[in-house]
């Protein structure tokens, strides 16, 4: 992903930055994490965590203003699964687009059924997006554990016969100022897959 500030773009998927790998324990459990840090005037830290006993991945981080001037934050793509990055997703088979459970606007919980006829389908939600295949049953949940610092938006795109070609979870700061010497902790993004979609949503709720 990328964080944008004052028309500049700082990659959240840097090349050539070796991760520091180690064990961790947090409220969700224990596992292995990879930590990366890069940048000059705008410093970015990213921590990716994979859990031992749950099919869950989380991504969190921090943006620091180490420059001489204040900066305005636009958005930060915490998760970016897209074809130009060699990424893809799928939940079940590729013959029909998955059903979706998501939050519309600020707090309205909505559901949409699967659709066999759609060749290209876009999804979007605030905070969480669950994509569900009915046969075989499978669920993919993408969302945020917290939303303290920015608006948490989640989006995806599905193409019939190819599967999911796009999945993004990004924090919209809407021009929030980060003054010289200040830092901001990014809200934690959450990804999980499960054969039981209801269990996947319950585990996300527990997080």
């Amino acid at each position: 992903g990328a964080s944008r500030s004052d028309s500049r773009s700082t990659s959240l998927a840097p090349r050539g930055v070796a991760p520091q790998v180690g064990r961790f324990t947090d409220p969700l459990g224990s596992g292995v994490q990879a930590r990366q840090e890069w940048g000059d005037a705008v410093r970015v830290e990213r921590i990716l965590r994979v859990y031992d006993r749950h099919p869950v991945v989380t991504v969190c981080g921090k943006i620091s203003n180490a420059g001489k001037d204040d900066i305005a934050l636009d958005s930060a793509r915490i998760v970016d699964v897209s074809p130009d990055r060699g990424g893809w997703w799928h939940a079940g088979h590729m013959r029909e687009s998955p059903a979706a459970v998501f939050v519309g606007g600020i707090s309205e919980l909505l559901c949409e059924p699967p659709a066999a006829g759609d060749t290209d389908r876009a999804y979007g939600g605030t905070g969480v997006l669950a994509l569900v295949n009915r046969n075989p049953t499978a669920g993919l949940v993408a969302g945020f554990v917290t939303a303290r610092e920015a608006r948490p938006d989640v989006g995806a795109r599905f193409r019939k016969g190819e599967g999911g070609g796009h999945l993004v979870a990004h924090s919209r700061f809407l021009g929030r100022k980060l003054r010289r010497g200040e830092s901001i902790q990014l809200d934690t993004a959450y990804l999980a897959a499960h054969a039981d979609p209801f269990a996947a949503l319950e585990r996300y709720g527990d997080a």
Side-chain angles (χ1 to χ4, degrees), residues 3 15 24 72 96 98 111 116 125 128 135 143 156 168 176-177 187 189 193 195:
S3 68
R15 296 182 179 179
F24 75 90
E96 68 177 14
C111 300
V128 63
N135 185 25
V168 61
R176 177 175 174 175
K177 293 291 185 181
D187 291 307

Side-chain angles (χ1 to χ4, degrees), residues 46-126:
R46 178 179 64 179
I47 300 174
L48 184 147
R49 290 179 167 176
V50 179
Y51 292 80
D52 291 334
R53 298 186 178 183
H54 307 292
V56 174
V57 174
T58 62
V59 184
C60 60
K62 181 171 66 174
I63 298 176
S64 301
N65 182 3
K68 298 180 180 180
D69 302 309
D70 298 346
I71 60 175
L73 299 176
D74 183 2
S75 65
R77 289 189 176 184
I78 314 300
V79 174
D80 187 359
V81 178
S82 52
D84 60 341
R85 297 181 181 276
W88 61 277
W89 60 268
H90 102 195
H93 59 67
M94 301 181 186
R95 295 189 298 275
E96 68 177 14
S97 60
V101 179
F102 59 97
V103 174
I106 297 176
S107 60
E108 186 178 7
L109 185 63
L110 300 171
C111 300
E112 292 182 352
D118 288 349
T119 57
D120 197 352
R121 184 175 177 183
Y123 303 85
T126 304

Side-chain angles (χ1 to χ4, degrees), residues 7 12 14 28 38 55 77 83 100 109 115 119 140 164 167 171 173 184 196 204:
S7 299
L12 284 186
L28 294 181
W38 64 94
R77 289 189 176 184
L109 185 63
T119 57
L140 175 65
L167 177 67
S171 295
F173 293 98
I184 187 170
D196 183 343
Y204 168 75

